[in-house]
Amino acid sequence: LVPVVILIVGPATWVEKFPEARGTRQSPVDIVTSRASSGGSAPPLVWRYSVNHPRSVVNPGYCWRVDENGYDSELRGGPLGSDVYKLQQWHCHWGSVNGEGSEHTVDGRAFSGELHLVHWNTSKYNSFTEAAGQPDGLAVLGVLLMVGSKHDELDKVVRLLPYIQHKGDKVTFSEPLNPANLLPKRIAYWTYPGSLTTPPCTESVTWILFKEPVQVSAEQVRLNLCYYVNGKNV
Ligand SMILES: NS(O)(O)c1ccc(OCc2cn(-c3ccccc3)nn2)cc1
Ligand SMILES: [Zn+2]
């Protein structure tokens, strides 16, 4: 008999180090559209991002991340009550196989990737780190990505990926970028109280997932998958 060693390195082991991962409001989830209630009279979701400040994209060891470095921005309304949130960073999740990259699924369907714009509650807390530990501390805008036409704004990031192939690599954008251009045209969304989808899996996120996927080209998916794999220094 050959001894079988099952090496569990994925989410199943996170509970050992991050007790929050055993919680009651863990993300991601499957959005069962038939069970979603209508938004009723929620106020409109409103956002404003600065465009011309210098930004850099970094390889944190998985996918890529753009830090906003405290530059002015605002997200308010919708499910966020009277609090004002500020963009901290935005990043992506791509799968190892095309078509299976998103974290959230909709009626069991996965998408090619998922963009997260991470905001923190500046009305109640003094820093991202403080807010990231509070139930109403963070708000993440989720954008589902599907293969279609090339996305020009996202291309400003994708074309820099060859320069951040290893964990810790960082490169500065040479042109202005408007995060609002990463969002879909129609802004209908699902929202639910959830958590960070990666360790420490803290249950501090009001999720706002746009219903309309945004199109990216097959080449942009390929480049993300390629450098995503490299980004993991595989
Ligand atoms: N993928 S996602 O958009 O859900 C997402 C968004 C942000 C994340 O931050 C990582 C993080 C959180 N904290 C933290 C610090 C202090 C207290 C609590 C947490 N440190 N690093 C992780 C996943
Ligand atoms: Zn994320």
Side-chain angles (χ1 to χ4, degrees), residues 89 91 93 103 116 118 128-129 132-133 140 195-200 202 207:
Q89 51 106 322
H91 61 269
H93 299 265
E103 298 212 302
H116 289 159
V118 183
F128 166 79
T129 303
V140 180
S195 73
L196 299 176
T197 62
T198 60
T202 324
W207 276 97

Side-chain angles (χ1 to χ4, degrees), residues 41-53:
S41 58
L45 190 64
V46 178
W47 55 79
R48 176 182 54 75
Y49 298 123
S50 86
V51 180
N52 289 324
H53 73 257

Side-chain angles (χ1 to χ4, degrees), residues 94 98-99 109 111-113 145-149 214-219 221:
W94 299 84
N98 181 19
R109 175 190 172 188
F111 288 77
S112 295
L145 304 175
M146 64 182 279
V147 173
S149 48
V214 155
Q215 293 190 20
V216 296
S217 68
E219 175 62 7
V221 174

Side-chain angles (χ1 to χ4, degrees), residues 63-153:
C63 77
W64 48 259
R65 187 186 74 219
V66 176
D67 292 316
E68 287 295 301
N69 304 320
Y71 280 90
D72 192 26
S73 65
E74 267 190 14
L75 175 68
R76 60 171 77 214
L80 303 176
S82 57
D83 291 345
V84 179
Y85 288 66
K86 183 174 181 179
L87 184 60
Q88 169 78 8
Q89 51 106 322
W90 38 286
H91 61 269
C92 73
H93 299 265
W94 299 84
S96 50
V97 178
N98 181 19
E100 297 170 14
S102 66
E103 298 212 302
H104 289 93
T105 50
V106 179
D107 293 334
R109 175 190 172 188
F111 288 77
S112 295
E114 189 170 328
L115 212 48
H116 289 159
L117 286 79
V118 183
H119 305 73
W120 61 279
N121 188 332
T122 56
S123 300
K124 287 190 179 164
Y125 308 111
N126 298 315
S127 70
F128 166 79
T129 303
E130 181 194 358
Q134 311 294 330
D136 59 353
L138 303 182
V140 180
L141 295 183
V143 182
L144 297 165
L145 304 175
M146 64 182 279
V147 173
S149 48
K150 179 180 169 189
H151 195 291
D152 292 336
E153 202 70 11

